[in-house]
Coordinates of all heavy atoms in Angstrom, one line a residue:
M1 N 6.7 122.6 -7.5 CA 7.9 122.4 -8.2 C 8.6 121.1 -7.7 O 9.0 120.3 -8.4 CB 8.9 123.6 -8.0 CG 9.6 124.1 -9.2 SD 9.0 123.6 -10.8 CE 10.5 123.4 -11.7
E2 N 8.6 121.0 -6.3 CA 9.2 119.8 -5.7 C 8.4 118.6 -6.1 O 9.0 117.5 -6.4 CB 9.0 120.0 -4.1 CG 10.1 119.2 -3.3 CD 11.5 119.4 -3.9 OE1 11.9 120.5 -4.1 OE2 12.1 118.3 -4.0
E3 N 7.1 118.7 -6.3 CA 6.3 117.6 -6.7 C 6.6 117.1 -8.1 O 6.8 116.0 -8.4 CB 4.8 118.0 -6.7 CG 3.8 116.9 -6.7 CD 2.4 117.3 -6.6 OE1 2.2 118.4 -6.1 OE2 1.5 116.7 -7.2
L4 N 6.8 118.1 -9.0 CA 7.2 117.8 -10.4 C 8.5 117.1 -10.5 O 8.6 116.1 -11.2 CB 7.3 119.1 -11.2 CG 6.1 119.8 -11.7 CD1 6.4 121.0 -12.5 CD2 5.3 118.8 -12.6
K5 N 9.4 117.5 -9.7 CA 10.8 116.9 -9.6 C 10.7 115.4 -9.4 O 11.4 114.6 -10.0 CB 11.6 117.5 -8.5 CG 12.6 118.5 -9.0 CD 13.5 118.9 -7.8 CE 14.1 120.2 -8.1 NZ 14.7 120.7 -6.8
T6 N 9.8 115.0 -8.5 CA 9.7 113.6 -8.1 C 8.9 112.8 -9.1 O 9.1 111.6 -9.2 CB 9.0 113.4 -6.7 OG1 7.7 114.0 -6.8 CG2 9.8 114.1 -5.6
K7 N 8.1 113.4 -9.9 CA 7.3 112.6 -10.8 C 7.8 112.6 -12.3 O 7.4 111.6 -13.0 CB 5.8 113.2 -10.8 CG 5.1 112.9 -9.5 CD 3.7 113.4 -9.6 CE 3.0 113.0 -8.3 NZ 1.7 113.7 -8.1
I8 N 8.5 113.5 -12.7 CA 9.0 113.5 -14.1 C 10.4 113.0 -14.2 O 11.3 113.6 -13.6 CB 8.8 115.0 -14.7 CG1 7.3 115.4 -14.6 CG2 9.3 115.0 -16.2 CD1 7.1 116.9 -15.0
A9 N 10.5 112.0 -15.0 CA 11.9 111.4 -15.2 C 12.7 112.4 -16.1 O 12.2 113.0 -17.0 CB 11.8 110.1 -15.9
K10 N 14.0 112.5 -15.7 CA 14.9 113.3 -16.5 C 15.2 112.6 -17.8 O 15.6 111.4 -17.8 CB 16.2 113.5 -15.7 CG 16.5 114.9 -15.3 CD 18.0 114.9 -14.8 CE 18.1 116.0 -13.7 NZ 19.4 115.8 -13.0
P11 N 15.1 113.3 -19.0 CA 15.5 112.6 -20.2 C 17.0 112.3 -20.1 O 17.8 113.2 -19.7 CB 15.2 113.6 -21.3 CG 14.7 114.8 -20.7 CD 14.7 114.6 -19.2
K12 N 17.4 111.1 -20.6 CA 18.8 110.8 -20.6 C 19.5 111.3 -21.8 O 19.2 110.8 -22.9 CB 19.0 109.3 -20.5 CG 18.5 108.7 -19.2 CD 19.7 108.5 -18.2 CE 19.3 107.8 -16.9 NZ 18.3 108.5 -16.1
L13 N 20.2 112.4 -21.7 CA 20.9 112.9 -22.9 C 22.4 112.6 -22.9 O 22.9 112.1 -21.9 CB 20.7 114.5 -22.8 CG 19.3 115.0 -22.9 CD1 19.3 116.5 -22.8 CD2 18.6 114.5 -24.2
G14 N 23.0 112.9 -24.0 CA 24.4 112.7 -24.1 C 24.8 111.4 -24.7 O 23.9 110.6 -25.0
K15 N 26.1 111.2 -24.8 CA 26.6 110.0 -25.5 C 26.5 108.7 -24.6 O 26.9 108.7 -23.5 CB 28.1 110.3 -25.7 CG 28.6 109.7 -27.0 CD 30.0 110.3 -27.4 CE 30.8 109.3 -28.1 NZ 32.2 109.2 -27.7
P16 N 25.9 107.7 -25.2 CA 25.7 106.5 -24.4 C 27.1 105.8 -24.2 O 28.0 105.9 -25.1 CB 24.9 105.6 -25.3 CG 24.9 106.1 -26.7 CD 25.3 107.6 -26.6
K17 N 27.3 105.3 -23.0 CA 28.5 104.7 -22.7 C 28.7 103.3 -23.5 O 27.7 102.7 -23.7 CB 28.6 104.4 -21.2 CG 28.8 105.6 -20.4 CD 28.8 105.3 -18.9 CE 29.1 106.5 -18.1 NZ 28.8 106.3 -16.6
R18 N 29.9 103.0 -23.8 CA 30.2 101.7 -24.5 C 31.0 100.8 -23.6 O 31.8 101.3 -22.7 CB 31.0 102.0 -25.8 CG 30.3 103.0 -26.7 CD 29.1 102.4 -27.4 NE 29.5 101.4 -28.4 CZ 28.7 100.6 -29.0 NH1 27.4 100.5 -28.7 NH2 29.1 99.7 -29.9
F19 N 30.8 99.6 -23.7 CA 31.5 98.6 -22.8 C 32.1 97.5 -23.7 O 31.5 96.9 -24.6 CB 30.4 98.0 -21.9 CG 29.9 98.9 -20.9 CD1 28.9 99.8 -21.3 CD2 30.4 99.0 -19.6 CE1 28.4 100.8 -20.4 CE2 29.9 99.9 -18.7 CZ 28.9 100.8 -19.1
Q20 N 33.4 97.2 -23.4 CA 34.1 96.1 -24.0 C 33.7 94.8 -23.2 O 33.6 94.8 -22.0 CB 35.6 96.2 -23.9 CG 36.1 97.3 -24.8 CD 37.6 97.5 -24.7 OE1 38.2 97.3 -23.6 NE2 38.3 97.9 -25.7
V21 N 33.5 93.7 -23.9 CA 33.4 92.4 -23.3 C 34.7 91.7 -23.4 O 35.3 91.6 -24.6 CB 32.3 91.6 -23.9 CG1 32.2 90.2 -23.3 CG2 30.9 92.3 -23.7
L22 N 35.3 91.3 -22.3 CA 36.6 90.6 -22.3 C 36.5 89.2 -21.9 O 35.7 88.9 -21.0 CB 37.6 91.3 -21.3 CG 37.8 92.9 -21.3 CD1 38.7 93.3 -20.2 CD2 38.3 93.3 -22.7
L23 N 37.4 88.4 -22.4 CA 37.6 87.0 -21.9 C 39.0 87.1 -21.2 O 39.9 87.7 -21.7 CB 37.6 86.0 -23.0 CG 36.3 85.6 -23.6 CD1 36.4 84.6 -24.7 CD2 35.3 85.1 -22.5
L24 N 39.1 86.4 -20.1 CA 40.3 86.3 -19.3 C 40.9 84.9 -19.4 O 40.2 83.9 -19.6 CB 40.0 86.6 -17.8 CG 39.3 87.9 -17.5 CD1 39.2 88.0 -16.0 CD2 39.9 89.1 -18.1
N25 N 42.2 84.9 -19.4 CA 42.9 83.6 -19.5 C 42.8 82.8 -18.2 O 42.6 83.4 -17.1 CB 44.4 83.8 -19.8 CG 45.1 82.5 -20.1 OD1 44.5 81.6 -20.7 ND2 46.3 82.4 -19.7
D26 N 42.9 81.5 -18.3 CA 43.0 80.6 -17.1 C 43.8 79.4 -17.5 O 44.0 79.2 -18.7 CB 41.6 80.3 -16.5 CG 40.8 79.5 -17.4 OD1 41.1 78.3 -17.5 OD2 39.8 80.0 -18.0
D27 N 44.1 78.5 -16.6 CA 44.9 77.3 -17.0 C 44.1 76.1 -17.4 O 44.6 75.1 -17.7 CB 45.8 76.9 -15.8 CG 46.9 77.9 -15.5 OD1 47.2 78.7 -16.4 OD2 47.4 78.0 -14.4
Y28 N 42.7 76.2 -17.2 CA 41.9 75.0 -17.4 C 41.0 74.9 -18.6 O 40.7 73.9 -19.1 CB 41.1 74.7 -16.1 CG 42.0 74.6 -14.9 CD1 42.3 75.6 -14.0 CD2 42.7 73.4 -14.7 CE1 43.1 75.5 -12.9 CE2 43.6 73.3 -13.6 CZ 43.8 74.3 -12.7 OH 44.7 74.2 -11.7
T29 N 40.4 76.1 -18.9 CA 39.5 76.2 -20.0 C 40.2 75.7 -21.3 O 41.4 76.2 -21.5 CB 38.9 77.6 -20.2 OG1 38.3 78.0 -19.0 CG2 37.9 77.6 -21.4
T30 N 39.6 74.9 -22.1 CA 40.3 74.4 -23.3 C 40.3 75.5 -24.4 O 39.4 76.3 -24.5 CB 39.7 73.1 -23.9 OG1 38.4 73.5 -24.4 CG2 39.6 72.0 -22.8
M31 N 41.4 75.5 -25.2 CA 41.5 76.4 -26.3 C 40.3 76.2 -27.3 O 39.7 77.2 -27.8 CB 42.8 76.2 -27.0 CG 44.0 76.6 -26.2 SD 45.5 76.4 -27.1 CE 46.7 77.2 -26.0
E32 N 39.9 75.0 -27.5 CA 38.8 74.7 -28.4 C 37.5 75.3 -27.9 O 36.7 75.9 -28.7 CB 38.7 73.1 -28.4 CG 37.7 72.6 -29.4 CD 37.6 71.1 -29.1 OE1 37.9 70.6 -28.0 OE2 37.1 70.4 -30.1
F33 N 37.3 75.3 -26.6 CA 36.1 75.9 -26.0 C 36.1 77.4 -26.2 O 35.0 77.9 -26.5 CB 36.0 75.5 -24.5 CG 34.7 76.0 -23.9 CD1 33.5 75.2 -24.1 CD2 34.6 77.1 -23.2 CE1 32.3 75.6 -23.6 CE2 33.4 77.5 -22.6 CZ 32.2 76.8 -22.8
V34 N 37.2 78.0 -26.0 CA 37.3 79.5 -26.1 C 37.0 79.9 -27.6 O 36.2 80.8 -27.9 CB 38.6 80.0 -25.7 CG1 38.7 81.5 -25.9 CG2 38.8 79.7 -24.2
V35 N 37.5 79.1 -28.5 CA 37.3 79.4 -30.0 C 35.8 79.2 -30.2 O 35.2 80.1 -30.9 CB 38.1 78.5 -30.8 CG1 37.7 78.6 -32.3 CG2 39.6 78.8 -30.7
A36 N 35.2 78.2 -29.7 CA 33.7 78.0 -29.9 C 32.9 79.1 -29.3 O 31.9 79.6 -30.0 CB 33.3 76.6 -29.2
V37 N 33.3 79.6 -28.2 CA 32.6 80.8 -27.5 C 32.7 82.0 -28.5 O 31.7 82.7 -28.7 CB 33.2 81.1 -26.1 CG1 32.8 82.5 -25.7 CG2 32.8 80.0 -25.2
L38 N 33.9 82.3 -29.0 CA 34.1 83.5 -29.8 C 33.3 83.4 -31.1 O 32.7 84.4 -31.6 CB 35.6 83.7 -30.1 CG 36.4 84.1 -28.9 CD1 37.9 83.9 -29.0 CD2 36.1 85.7 -28.7
M39 N 33.1 82.2 -31.6 CA 32.3 82.0 -32.9 C 30.8 82.1 -32.5 O 30.1 82.8 -33.3 CB 32.7 80.7 -33.5 CG 34.1 80.6 -34.0 SD 34.6 79.0 -34.7 CE 33.7 79.0 -36.2
R40 N 30.4 81.5 -31.5 CA 29.0 81.4 -31.1 C 28.4 82.7 -30.6 O 27.3 83.1 -31.0 CB 28.8 80.3 -30.1 CG 27.4 80.0 -29.7 CD 27.5 78.9 -28.6 NE 26.1 78.5 -28.2 CZ 25.7 77.3 -28.3 NH1 26.4 76.3 -28.8 NH2 24.5 77.0 -27.8
F41 N 29.1 83.4 -29.7 CA 28.5 84.6 -29.1 C 29.0 85.9 -29.6 O 28.4 86.9 -29.4 CB 28.8 84.5 -27.6 CG 28.1 83.4 -26.9 CD1 28.9 82.2 -26.5 CD2 26.8 83.4 -26.7 CE1 28.2 81.2 -25.9 CE2 26.1 82.3 -26.1 CZ 26.9 81.2 -25.7
F42 N 30.2 85.8 -30.4 CA 30.7 87.1 -30.9 C 30.9 87.1 -32.4 O 31.5 88.0 -33.0 CB 32.1 87.4 -30.2 CG 31.9 87.5 -28.7 CD1 32.2 86.4 -27.9 CD2 31.4 88.7 -28.1 CE1 32.0 86.5 -26.5 CE2 31.2 88.8 -26.7 CZ 31.5 87.7 -25.9
S43 N 30.3 86.1 -33.1 CA 30.2 86.0 -34.5 C 31.6 86.1 -35.2 O 31.6 86.7 -36.3 CB 29.3 87.1 -35.1 OG 28.0 87.0 -34.5
K44 N 32.6 85.5 -34.6 CA 33.9 85.5 -35.2 C 34.0 84.3 -36.1 O 33.5 83.2 -35.8 CB 35.0 85.4 -34.2 CG 35.0 86.5 -33.1 CD 35.1 87.9 -33.7 CE 35.1 88.9 -32.6 NZ 35.1 90.3 -33.1
D45 N 34.7 84.4 -37.3 CA 35.0 83.2 -38.0 C 36.2 82.5 -37.3 O 36.8 83.0 -36.4 CB 35.3 83.6 -39.5 CG 36.6 84.4 -39.7 OD1 37.5 84.4 -38.9 OD2 36.6 85.1 -40.8
E46 N 36.5 81.3 -37.8 CA 37.4 80.4 -37.1 C 38.8 81.1 -36.9 O 39.4 81.0 -35.9 CB 37.5 79.0 -37.7 CG 38.1 78.0 -36.8 CD 38.0 76.6 -37.3 OE1 37.3 76.4 -38.3 OE2 38.7 75.7 -36.7
E47 N 39.2 81.7 -38.0 CA 40.6 82.4 -38.0 C 40.6 83.5 -37.0 O 41.6 83.6 -36.2 CB 40.8 82.9 -39.4 CG 42.3 83.2 -39.7 CD 42.5 83.7 -41.1 OE1 41.7 83.5 -42.0 OE2 43.5 84.5 -41.2
A48 N 39.6 84.4 -37.0 CA 39.6 85.5 -36.1 C 39.5 85.0 -34.6 O 40.2 85.5 -33.7 CB 38.4 86.4 -36.4
A49 N 38.6 83.9 -34.4 CA 38.5 83.4 -33.1 C 39.8 82.8 -32.6 O 40.1 83.0 -31.4 CB 37.4 82.3 -33.1
N50 N 40.5 82.1 -33.4 CA 41.8 81.5 -33.0 C 42.8 82.6 -32.6 O 43.5 82.5 -31.6 CB 42.4 80.7 -34.2 CG 42.2 79.2 -33.9 OD1 42.8 78.7 -32.9 ND2 41.4 78.6 -34.7
A51 N 42.8 83.7 -33.4 CA 43.8 84.8 -33.2 C 43.4 85.4 -31.8 O 44.4 85.7 -31.0 CB 43.7 85.8 -34.3
I52 N 42.2 85.6 -31.5 CA 41.8 86.3 -30.2 C 42.1 85.3 -29.1 O 42.6 85.8 -28.0 CB 40.3 86.7 -30.3 CG1 40.0 87.8 -31.3 CG2 39.8 87.2 -28.9 CD1 38.6 88.0 -31.6
M53 N 41.8 84.0 -29.3 CA 42.1 83.1 -28.2 C 43.6 83.0 -27.8 O 43.9 83.0 -26.7 CB 41.6 81.7 -28.6 CG 41.7 80.6 -27.6 SD 43.4 79.9 -27.6 CE 43.4 79.1 -29.2
I54 N 44.4 83.0 -28.9 CA 45.9 83.0 -28.6 C 46.3 84.3 -27.9 O 47.2 84.2 -27.0 CB 46.6 82.7 -30.0 CG1 46.4 81.3 -30.5 CG2 48.1 83.0 -29.8 CD1 47.0 80.2 -29.7
K55 N 45.8 85.4 -28.4 CA 46.1 86.7 -27.8 C 45.8 86.6 -26.3 O 46.5 87.1 -25.4 CB 45.3 87.8 -28.5 CG 45.8 89.2 -28.2 CD 44.9 89.9 -27.3 CE 45.4 91.3 -26.9 NZ 45.1 91.7 -25.5
I56 N 44.6 86.1 -25.9 CA 44.2 86.0 -24.5 C 45.2 85.1 -23.7 O 45.6 85.4 -22.6 CB 42.8 85.4 -24.4 CG1 41.8 86.3 -25.1 CG2 42.4 85.3 -22.9 CD1 40.4 85.7 -25.3
H57 N 45.5 83.9 -24.4 CA 46.4 82.9 -23.7 C 47.7 83.6 -23.4 O 48.3 83.3 -22.4 CB 46.5 81.8 -24.7 CG 47.4 80.7 -24.3 ND1 47.1 79.8 -23.2 CD2 48.7 80.3 -24.7 CE1 48.1 79.0 -23.0 NE2 49.0 79.2 -23.9
V58 N 48.2 84.4 -24.3 CA 49.5 85.1 -24.2 C 49.5 86.3 -23.2 O 50.3 86.4 -22.3 CB 50.1 85.5 -25.6 CG1 51.4 86.3 -25.4 CG2 50.4 84.2 -26.4
D59 N 48.5 87.2 -23.4 CA 48.4 88.5 -22.7 C 47.6 88.4 -21.4 O 47.6 89.4 -20.7 CB 47.8 89.5 -23.6 CG 48.7 89.9 -24.8 OD1 49.8 89.4 -24.9 OD2 48.2 90.6 -25.7
G60 N 46.8 87.4 -21.3 CA 46.0 87.3 -20.1 C 44.6 87.8 -20.3 O 43.7 87.4 -19.5
E61 N 44.3 88.6 -21.3 CA 42.9 89.0 -21.6 C 42.8 89.4 -23.1 O 43.8 89.7 -23.7 CB 42.6 90.2 -20.7 CG 43.4 91.4 -20.9 CD 42.9 92.6 -20.2 OE1 42.8 92.6 -18.9 OE2 42.7 93.7 -20.8
G62 N 41.6 89.5 -23.5 CA 41.4 90.0 -24.9 C 40.0 90.5 -25.1 O 39.0 90.0 -24.4
V63 N 39.8 91.4 -26.0 CA 38.5 92.0 -26.3 C 37.7 91.2 -27.3 O 38.3 90.9 -28.4 CB 38.7 93.5 -26.8 CG1 37.3 94.1 -27.1 CG2 39.4 94.3 -25.8
C64 N 36.5 90.8 -27.0 CA 35.6 90.1 -27.9 C 34.7 91.0 -28.7 O 34.3 90.6 -29.8 CB 34.8 89.1 -27.1 SG 35.7 88.1 -26.0
G65 N 34.4 92.1 -28.1 CA 33.5 93.1 -28.8 C 33.2 94.3 -27.9 O 33.5 94.3 -26.7
T66 N 32.6 95.3 -28.5 CA 32.2 96.5 -27.8 C 30.7 96.8 -28.0 O 30.3 96.8 -29.2 CB 33.1 97.7 -28.3 OG1 34.5 97.4 -28.1 CG2 32.8 99.0 -27.6
Y67 N 30.0 97.0 -27.0 CA 28.5 97.1 -27.0 C 28.0 98.1 -26.1 O 28.7 98.6 -25.2 CB 27.9 95.7 -26.6 CG 28.5 94.6 -27.4 CD1 29.6 93.8 -26.9 CD2 28.0 94.2 -28.6 CE1 30.1 92.7 -27.5 CE2 28.6 93.1 -29.3 CZ 29.6 92.4 -28.8 OH 30.1 91.3 -29.5
S68 N 26.7 98.4 -26.2 CA 25.9 99.1 -25.2 C 26.0 98.3 -23.9 O 26.3 97.1 -23.9 CB 24.5 99.3 -25.6 OG 23.8 98.0 -25.6
H69 N 25.6 99.0 -22.8 CA 25.6 98.3 -21.4 C 24.7 97.1 -21.4 O 25.1 96.0 -21.0 CB 25.2 99.3 -20.3 CG 25.5 98.7 -19.0 ND1 24.4 98.3 -18.2 CD2 26.6 98.5 -18.3 CE1 25.0 97.8 -17.0 NE2 26.3 98.0 -17.1
D70 N 23.5 97.2 -22.0 CA 22.6 96.1 -22.0 C 23.1 94.9 -22.8 O 23.0 93.7 -22.3 CB 21.3 96.5 -22.7 CG 20.2 96.9 -21.7 OD1 20.6 97.3 -20.6 OD2 19.0 96.9 -22.0
I71 N 23.6 95.1 -24.0 CA 24.0 94.0 -24.8 C 25.3 93.4 -24.2 O 25.4 92.1 -24.1 CB 24.4 94.5 -26.3 CG1 23.2 95.2 -26.9 CG2 24.9 93.3 -27.1 CD1 22.1 94.3 -27.5
A72 N 26.2 94.2 -23.7 CA 27.4 93.7 -23.1 C 27.1 92.8 -21.9 O 27.7 91.7 -21.8 CB 28.3 94.9 -22.7
N73 N 26.2 93.2 -21.1 CA 25.8 92.4 -19.9 C 25.2 91.1 -20.3 O 25.4 90.1 -19.7 CB 24.7 93.2 -19.1 CG 25.4 93.8 -17.8 OD1 25.1 95.0 -17.5 ND2 26.1 93.0 -17.1
T74 N 24.4 91.1 -21.4 CA 23.7 89.9 -21.9 C 24.8 88.9 -22.3 O 24.8 87.7 -22.1 CB 22.8 90.2 -23.0 OG1 21.8 91.1 -22.5 CG2 22.1 89.0 -23.6
K75 N 25.8 89.5 -23.1 CA 26.9 88.6 -23.6 C 27.6 87.9 -22.4 O 27.9 86.7 -22.4 CB 27.9 89.4 -24.4 CG 27.4 90.1 -25.6 CD 27.4 89.1 -26.8 CE 26.8 89.8 -28.0 NZ 26.3 88.9 -29.0
V76 N 27.9 88.7 -21.3 CA 28.6 88.2 -20.2 C 27.8 87.0 -19.5 O 28.4 86.0 -19.2 CB 28.9 89.3 -19.1 CG1 29.4 88.7 -17.8 CG2 30.0 90.3 -19.7
T77 N 26.5 87.3 -19.4 CA 25.7 86.2 -18.8 C 25.6 85.0 -19.7 O 25.7 83.9 -19.2 CB 24.2 86.8 -18.6 OG1 24.3 88.0 -17.8 CG2 23.3 85.8 -18.0
Q78 N 25.4 85.2 -21.0 CA 25.3 84.0 -21.9 C 26.6 83.2 -21.9 O 26.6 82.0 -21.8 CB 25.0 84.5 -23.3 CG 23.6 85.1 -23.5 CD 23.4 85.7 -24.9 OE1 24.4 86.1 -25.5 NE2 22.2 85.7 -25.3
V79 N 27.8 83.9 -22.0 CA 29.0 83.2 -22.0 C 29.3 82.5 -20.7 O 29.7 81.3 -20.7 CB 30.2 84.2 -22.3 CG1 31.6 83.5 -22.1 CG2 30.1 84.7 -23.8
T80 N 29.0 83.2 -19.6 CA 29.3 82.6 -18.2 C 28.4 81.3 -18.0 O 28.8 80.3 -17.6 CB 29.0 83.6 -17.1 OG1 29.9 84.7 -17.4 CG2 29.4 83.0 -15.8
D81 N 27.1 81.4 -18.4 CA 26.2 80.3 -18.3 C 26.7 79.1 -19.2 O 26.7 78.0 -18.7 CB 24.8 80.7 -18.7 CG 24.1 81.6 -17.7 OD1 24.6 81.7 -16.6 OD2 23.0 82.1 -18.1
F82 N 27.0 79.4 -20.4 CA 27.5 78.4 -21.3 C 28.8 77.7 -20.8 O 28.9 76.5 -20.8 CB 27.8 79.1 -22.7 CG 28.2 78.1 -23.8 CD1 27.3 77.1 -24.2 CD2 29.4 78.2 -24.5 CE1 27.6 76.3 -25.3 CE2 29.7 77.3 -25.5 CZ 28.8 76.3 -25.9
A83 N 29.7 78.5 -20.2 CA 30.9 77.9 -19.7 C 30.6 77.0 -18.5 O 31.1 75.9 -18.4 CB 31.9 79.1 -19.3
R84 N 29.8 77.5 -17.6 CA 29.5 76.7 -16.4 C 28.7 75.4 -16.7 O 29.0 74.4 -16.2 CB 28.7 77.5 -15.3 CG 29.4 78.7 -14.7 CD 30.8 78.4 -14.1 NE 31.5 79.7 -13.9 CZ 32.3 80.2 -14.8 NH1 32.6 79.6 -16.0 NH2 32.9 81.4 -14.6
N85 N 27.8 75.5 -17.7 CA 27.1 74.3 -18.2 C 28.0 73.3 -18.8 O 27.7 72.1 -18.9 CB 26.0 74.7 -19.2 CG 24.8 75.4 -18.5 OD1 24.6 75.3 -17.3 ND2 24.1 76.3 -19.3
N86 N 29.2 73.8 -19.2 CA 30.1 72.9 -19.9 C 31.4 72.7 -19.0 O 32.4 72.2 -19.4 CB 30.6 73.4 -21.2 CG 29.4 73.3 -22.3 OD1 29.2 72.2 -22.8 ND2 28.7 74.3 -22.4
E87 N 31.2 73.0 -17.7 CA 32.2 72.7 -16.7 C 33.6 73.4 -17.0 O 34.6 72.8 -16.8 CB 32.4 71.2 -16.4 CG 31.2 70.7 -15.5 CD 30.7 69.4 -15.9 OE1 31.3 68.7 -16.7 OE2 29.6 69.0 -15.4
Q88 N 33.5 74.6 -17.5 CA 34.7 75.4 -17.8 C 34.8 76.6 -16.9 O 33.7 77.3 -16.8 CB 34.7 75.8 -19.3 CG 34.6 74.7 -20.3 CD 35.9 73.9 -20.5 OE1 37.0 74.4 -20.5 NE2 35.7 72.5 -20.5
P89 N 35.9 76.9 -16.4 CA 36.0 78.1 -15.5 C 36.2 79.4 -16.1 O 36.4 80.5 -15.5 CB 37.2 77.8 -14.6 CG 38.1 77.0 -15.5 CD 37.2 76.2 -16.4
L90 N 36.0 79.5 -17.5 CA 36.2 80.7 -18.3 C 35.6 81.9 -17.6 O 34.4 81.9 -17.3 CB 35.7 80.5 -19.7 CG 35.8 81.6 -20.7 CD1 37.2 81.9 -21.0 CD2 35.0 81.2 -21.9
M91 N 36.3 83.0 -17.5 CA 35.8 84.3 -17.0 C 35.6 85.3 -18.1 O 36.4 85.5 -19.0 CB 36.8 84.9 -16.0 CG 37.0 84.1 -14.7 SD 35.5 84.1 -13.7 CE 35.4 85.8 -13.4
C92 N 34.4 85.9 -18.1 CA 34.0 86.9 -19.1 C 33.5 88.1 -18.3 O 32.7 88.0 -17.4 CB 32.8 86.3 -19.9 SG 32.3 87.4 -21.2
V93 N 34.1 89.3 -18.6 CA 33.9 90.5 -17.8 C 33.7 91.7 -18.7 O 34.0 91.7 -19.9 CB 35.0 90.8 -16.8 CG1 35.2 89.7 -15.8 CG2 36.3 91.1 -17.6
L94 N 33.1 92.8 -18.1 CA 32.9 94.1 -18.8 C 34.0 95.1 -18.5 O 34.5 95.1 -17.4 CB 31.6 94.8 -18.3 CG 30.3 94.2 -18.6 CD1 29.2 95.2 -18.2 CD2 30.2 93.8 -20.1
R95 N 34.3 95.9 -19.4 CA 35.2 97.1 -19.1 C 34.5 98.3 -19.8 O 34.3 98.3 -21.0 CB 36.6 96.8 -19.7 CG 37.5 98.0 -19.4 CD 38.8 97.9 -20.2 NE 39.7 96.9 -19.6 CZ 40.6 96.3 -20.3 NH1 40.7 96.5 -21.6 NH2 41.4 95.4 -19.7
E96 N 34.3 99.3 -19.0 CA 33.7 100.6 -19.5 C 34.7 101.3 -20.3 O 35.9 101.5 -19.8 CB 33.1 101.4 -18.3 CG 32.4 102.6 -18.8 CD 31.9 103.5 -17.7 OE1 31.6 102.9 -16.6 OE2 31.7 104.7 -17.9
L97 N 34.4 101.8 -21.4 CA 35.3 102.6 -22.2 C 35.2 104.1 -21.8 O 34.1 104.6 -21.7 CB 35.0 102.5 -23.7 CG 35.5 101.2 -24.4 CD1 35.0 101.1 -25.8 CD2 37.0 101.0 -24.3
S98 N 36.4 104.7 -21.7 CA 36.3 106.1 -21.4 C 36.2 106.9 -22.7 O 36.9 106.6 -23.6 CB 37.6 106.6 -20.7 OG 38.7 106.0 -21.4
D99 N 35.3 107.8 -22.8 CA 35.1 108.5 -24.1 C 35.6 109.9 -24.1 O 36.5 110.3 -23.5 CB 33.6 108.5 -24.6 CG 32.6 108.7 -23.5 OD1 33.1 109.1 -22.4 OD2 31.4 108.4 -23.6
Ligands
TYC101 N1 45.1 79.0 -21.2 C1 44.2 78.0 -21.7 C2 44.9 76.7 -22.0 O1 46.1 76.7 -22.1 C3 43.5 78.5 -23.0 C4 42.6 79.7 -22.7 C5 42.6 80.7 -23.7 C6 41.8 79.8 -21.6 C7 41.8 81.9 -23.5 C8 40.9 80.9 -21.4 O2 40.1 83.0 -22.2 C9 41.0 81.9 -22.3 N2 44.2 75.6 -22.1

């Protein structure tokens, strides 16, 4: 029995967790760059991207999308790499949703 326990993986049951991807405000990243990020990585049209960017600028943070853990992590990596490659300090983070 002890042997079986170590060899057989437990099936992962239940509701998969969901994660929001957030952008945080800062004083240096350009508004134009944030709009470009929202369109490129979160498939927003220009109007929606502008509205989210302004919301972040005013409130300090804003939700770009909600995803599985894998996809959310990939978005954070892609956005962070894109920002650093373009010399922007933009911060992109995950927030686990309570279900
Ligand atoms: N506050 C920035 C500015 O005035 C714009 C900005 C918006 C930066 C959203 C980051 O996630 C952000 N240039």
Side-chain angles (χ1 to χ4, degrees):
M1 225 20 215
E2 206 47 48
E3 195 180 333
L4 279 178
K5 257 188 206 167
T6 60
K7 287 186 179 168
I8 301 171
K10 246 192 208 165
K12 294 267 186 293
L13 297 178
K15 214 165 148 223
K17 288 177 176 169
R18 303 287 288 167
F19 294 80
Q20 289 178 330
V21 175
L22 309 178
L23 286 178
L24 307 185
N25 189 37
D26 66 73
D27 291 340
Y28 301 102
T29 303
T30 66
M31 292 184 169
E32 187 188 21
F33 186 78
V34 176
V35 170
V37 163
L38 287 160
M39 294 175 72
R40 184 179 181 123
F41 296 103
F42 301 98
S43 304
K44 305 299 181 187
D45 63 25
E46 197 171 350
E47 197 183 334
N50 256 299
I52 295 168
M53 182 278 294
I54 292 293
K55 194 255 175 214
I56 301 165
H57 180 71
V58 170
D59 293 350
E61 62 172 58
V63 178
C64 307
T66 301
Y67 308 95
S68 67
H69 190 254
D70 262 24
I71 304 280
N73 257 132
T74 300
K75 299 277 180 199
V76 169
T77 302
Q78 288 174 335
V79 169
T80 304
D81 288 351
F82 186 62
R84 296 307 167 268
N85 287 336
N86 289 279
E87 283 141 11
Q88 302 287 320
L90 181 63
M91 291 295 297
C92 184
V93 299
L94 291 192
R95 179 191 285 154
E96 185 179 336
L97 282 177
S98 48
D99 40 15

